[in-house]
Amino acid sequence: MAKAVQLGRSLKALRAANGWSLAEVSRRTSISISTLSKVENGLLSLTYDKLIGLSEGLDVDVSVFFNKAGINPDPTPLGRRSLDDIGGGEIIDTPNYQYRYLHTDLSNKQLIPVIVEHTTRTIEDFGPLVKHTGEEFVHVLSGRIEVHTELYAPKILGPGESVYIDSNMGHAYLCVSEEPAQTLSVCVSDPTQSADDHPN
Amino acid sequence: MAKAVQLGRSLKALRAANGWSLAEVSRRTSISISTLSKVENGLLSLTYDKLIGLSEGLDVDVSVFFNKAGINPDPTPLGRRSLDDIGGGEIIDTPNYQYRYLHTDLSNKQLIPVIVEHTTRTIEDFGPLVKHTGEEFVHVLSGRIEVHTELYAPKILGPGESVYIDSNMGHAYLCVSEEPAQTLSVCVSDPTQSADDHPN
DNA sequence: AAATTATGTTTACTATACGAAACTTTTGTG
DNA sequence: CACAAAAGTTTCGTATAGTAAACATAATTT
């Protein structure tokens, strides 16, 4: 006897949420109505290829069907809060930047917020462009920075301005103001990536 | 003929990366060696329950087996960049906040950066606490805000200070300075959630 | 209410997933 | 090379996934 109660629940919930009939789902996914009916009633499981068919036809991530609850896809603990004041955070020095990682008391964060002091002033001193997984948002707090990327011409940003880039594109930030430039940057820690070089 | 080439590749790669034999994988997952062999050679697909077995036994997310390449889990396009200057962004007015969404020219971002003007001054005016999926980081740019959450005592933050919370905990930000308070906030848009109320 | 239509379930059959054991290939070890 | 041990593949029988078509039931129309 096949058991796939989760799967059935997920599908039923998804179908109800969108007001689809079995026929409609069948049309979208090319899976027969009878099969869908049995799946929802826990009489049948599904094979890999059918799961992909479901996912693509209904335009949802396959993970939807693998959630324990079938309704709450967020496994992160509830109700955490962390405060950081002006001087707070964990300071890390690197050749090109001085980082002040914020909210390091929370682990397994999805966002990595960090205050960055930009010191390097020429692309030669900087060395090769940096690339890593994920995406990042950089907002200038003070001073002026020059944003270098692999695919675009360099661009200078002042206080209040910001840039958003795919981090897998090579990038570098230089300081081009008299005083040192300071930015507030936020990265995403890719949850599908096991290793992470940030102290989150 | 069952087709599950992706699955076979993913499993083979995962197994090679960990130096496991088929017997070892079989032991961990309670799936027979013969089945595993056939899967790797694309002769067999797998059912829902077996996929869960694989995922749990090898301690990886099921999504690993649904990646197109079987090696690169990041489906986002490469090399995007977006700039926003001081006045830029898409302004949205709500009763409690005025939002200026940044980098709206990029869709399917993982991060949602937004400049928020805080206008509401009392928790009564604010109404019920807000909750939604994901996490958020709020950095005060100017003025002072009072952070209300479901599980903690209210806390006042000034310029340069910040807070990080799980957004599924009820929360509200009030303005407590003479002048209107301004913050830079970043949310994550949960990729497992299909609908999204942000203009990303 | 009878006829019609839309939706979900059951039946009966075919295709395929799955495991046990036989077989083949590779990798040592004397 | 012989032999053994380990790793992987193939065979074959059984269980289950999958479909089409018949059936049942609810919702609309005439």
Side-chain angles (χ1 to χ4, degrees), chain B residues 54-149:
Chain B
L54 259 194
S55 157
E56 290 183 350
L58 303 183
D59 198 31
V60 294
D61 195 276
V62 277
S63 64
V64 167
F65 303 114
F66 288 91
N67 295 326
K68 306 282 176 285
I71 197 78
N72 170 24
D74 193 356
T76 47
L78 301 173
R80 301 178 303 171
R81 189 196 72 168
S82 162
L83 299 165
D84 251 338
D85 46 27
I86 302 181
E90 188 173 328
I91 295 182
I92 304 271
D93 249 313
T94 72
N96 289 317
Y97 309 119
Q98 186 191 58
Y99 294 107
R100 211 171 76 231
Y101 283 98
L102 303 176
H103 306 291
T104 49
D105 53 330
L106 290 186
S107 57
N108 278 99
K109 293 188 298 298
Q110 295 187 251
L111 300 170
I112 308 294
V114 50
I115 304 278
V116 184
E117 286 253 348
H118 299 263
T119 50
T120 307
R121 293 183 164 276
T122 69
I123 198 68
E124 289 74 29
D125 286 352
F126 191 95
L129 297 181
V130 171
K131 44 174 81 179
H132 49 91
T133 58
E135 303 174 11
E136 63 190 83
F137 165 75
V138 174
H139 174 92
V140 179
L141 294 173
S142 64
R144 291 160 65 78
I145 64 169
E146 191 172 64
V147 180
H148 287 250
T149 58

Side-chain angles (χ1 to χ4, degrees), chain B residues 1-2 32 35 38 46-47 50:
Chain B
M1 226 160 287
S32 75
T35 296
K38 287 175 212 166
L46 277 187
T47 51
K50 298 292 161 189

Side-chain angles (χ1 to χ4, degrees), chain A residues 1-2 32 35 38 46-47 50:
Chain A
M1 227 159 285
S32 74
T35 296
K38 288 178 210 167
L46 277 186
T47 51
K50 298 292 160 190

